[in-house]
Amino acid sequence: MRSRLRSVIVTTAGRLRTPWRLFLTAGLVLLVNLAVGVGAVFAGVSLDPTTATGLDLAVALVALGVSGIAVAATTLFATRYIDHRRIGDIGVRFDEGWRFDFVVGAAIGAGLVGAVYLLGIAVGVYQPSIDPTAPSGVPLVGWLVLLVALMVVIGVYEELLVRGYILTNLAEGFTFAVGRRGAVVVAILSSSAVFGVVHGVNPNTTPFAVATITLAGILFGLAYAYTETLALPAGIHVTWNLTHVLLGLPVSGLDLGIQLVDTSVSGPVLVHGGSFGPEGGVLGTAAALLGCVVVVAYGRLTGRSFSENVAIPALRKER
């Protein structure tokens, strides 16, 4: 009886099985977020950038960055001490090609948002004007530096947690049922669904927006599966968010008021996404779909293919 119970909890190699690893890590992440939230309350700091203004907004953005760094550190801790993996096993690899992948990813992210922005202008839903503005209390250059730093933190920690940790663990866990290749596909779809649902708590969210964020998750998942590193999806994620903000558009329902371009929006909400931003409309969906095609093309152009290695258990990977 005891051995049967043990087999439900741990593998023959002595590692916790996938559901338990995910459960423990989710608990750790929640505790870290709770600790940051409680600390912010005692410090009198708001973690909601939609309600803060001026210097309070700057402090809120810094606090959000600290929270993201804490989650990233927790993910790395869980990788080593709960999963018993190297960080390279979840896509954190600083080999000779990671810089190139990150830069290409950054170009893809900015290019996708820029392309649908131009499409929005062409169909008449966007009316842009050059108008660099930001909240008072900090010079524009300071706001831009803070914004870029925050977008980097968000892009990296979300990819580390969702693609690096969750997707990798799900791929390993589903292997017994559908084989490695099928497991990676299921892991991309299921981790992307989690990604979409989590963003469903953002302001101004709609079911369409959740669906588009889920599709964007598939884009990031494909970038991970084709390169086996987080450099490409992190690069895409960082500039995807950053370009929205700089063009004066909400990103995932958040409007920070820091922009280089002022964009007036009109026409059908189904097209431009309304207060959620392009991700809440057809334009965002088009960007995510196009991104999936571009990522697959980039992978093949660089001699890579959809990899099953993401699903290999840690203790069976070559060291």
Side-chain angles (χ1 to χ4, degrees):
M1 180 66 179
R2 182 176 299 176
S3 61
R4 182 177 299 177
L5 178 61
R6 177 178 171 79
S7 68
V8 172
I9 299 174
V10 300
T11 67
T12 54
R15 293 173 69 227
L16 287 172
R17 294 193 180 276
T18 299
W20 301 109
R21 296 198 303 269
L22 290 173
F23 178 78
L24 281 177
T25 301
L28 283 176
V29 170
L30 288 174
L31 284 175
V32 167
N33 279 325
L34 179 62
V36 172
V38 170
V41 169
F42 277 103
V45 174
S46 171
L47 292 177
D48 184 0
T50 63
T51 60
T53 58
L55 286 176
D56 287 341
L57 175 60
V59 174
L61 296 183
V62 170
L64 285 174
V66 170
S67 176
I69 292 171
V71 171
T74 302
T75 304
L76 294 175
F77 174 87
T79 298
R80 182 65 185 89
Y81 295 103
I82 295 178
D83 275 41
H84 300 289
R85 301 179 192 266
R86 300 177 305 174
I87 62 171
D89 295 337
I90 63 167
V92 183
R93 297 174 185 164
F94 300 104
D95 54 23
E96 61 182 15
W98 79 269
R99 291 183 182 86
F100 186 76
D101 279 342
F102 185 85
V103 170
V104 169
I108 291 173
L112 290 172
V113 178
V116 297
Y117 186 75
L118 292 175
L119 179 59
I121 294 174
V123 300
V125 298
Y126 295 149
Q127 297 82 41
S129 61
I130 304 300
D131 183 22
T133 58
S136 61
V138 177
L140 177 61
V141 172
W143 282 113
L144 292 176
V145 170
L146 180 56
L147 175 66
V148 171
L150 179 63
M151 293 299 106
V152 170
V153 170
I154 291 174
V156 170
Y157 99 76
E158 288 190 356
E159 290 310 306
L160 185 63
L161 177 62
V162 182
R163 255 59 64 177
Y165 193 86
I166 296 176
L167 191 159
T168 300
N169 271 282
L170 289 174
E172 178 185 338
F174 282 118
T175 299
F176 81 96
V178 292
R180 287 183 186 168
R181 188 175 185 83
V184 176
V185 172
V186 173
I188 289 174
L189 295 176
S190 51
S191 63
S192 298
V194 171
F195 188 62
V197 170
V198 168
H199 281 76
V201 302
N202 285 16
N204 309 307
T205 304
T206 65
F208 194 103
V210 171
T212 298
I213 296 293
T214 300
L215 184 58
I218 294 174
L219 159 62
F220 301 141
L222 286 172
Y224 178 40
Y226 267 86
T227 62
E228 296 184 47
T229 79
L230 295 178
L232 184 65
I236 298 171
H237 199 151
V238 168
T239 55
W240 173 283
N241 289 346
L242 179 62
T243 306
H244 277 85
V245 178
L246 294 179
L247 291 174
L249 299 170
V251 57
S252 301
L254 301 176
D255 186 352
L256 302 180
I258 306 167
Q259 63 186 38
L260 296 180
V261 178
D262 181 59
T263 302
S264 298
V265 180
S266 61
V269 172
L270 180 62
V271 175
H272 57 68
S275 299
F276 193 82
E279 295 160 321
V282 173
L283 289 176
T285 303
L289 284 171
L290 178 60
C292 292
V293 175
V294 171
V295 161
V296 172
Y298 172 70
R300 293 181 177 178
L301 185 64
T302 54
R304 291 176 280 194
S305 59
F306 190 86
S307 177
E308 301 176 1
N309 291 337
V310 174
I312 299 176
L315 296 184
R316 291 173 56 191
K317 290 186 177 181
E318 294 183 2
R319 299 294 179 181

